[in-house]
Amino acid sequence: MSLEKINERINRPTLIASRCTTTFKDYKEIIRYKIALHAGTRGYQGKLSKAVGFHPSFLSQILNSETQINLDHAAKMAKFFHLDETESEYFIELVNYAAKNIQFVNI
């Protein structure tokens, strides 16, 4: 499914993160944004990692490499971020979109 189709289906792509007007096209942008919103909160990334169920270093891998999260992680992140139903659906669709568009390299 293309990003345009996701946006049409969800019909509200300019949500996420306290009703801001930023349009996110990658779920990693949303994660970075939410972390930046809580920059003053000590241990926020550790709390996020614990809530999702992975090691904090894995969060760094996700944000800084081609490592992807699965749909279970996405649902737990959406809950941790307190996203509403539409925002959660959009976030999960972006995760699904990223997973389907991974290009594998034969070695």
Side-chain angles (χ1 to χ4, degrees), residues 12-32:
R12 286 176 41 187
T14 58
L15 292 181
I16 310 288
S18 302
R19 309 297 181 260
C20 70
T21 57
T22 303
T23 299
F24 297 97
K25 295 182 178 167
D26 180 3
Y27 76 90
K28 292 181 182 190
E29 292 175 10
I30 296 169
I31 296 170
R32 286 186 192 99

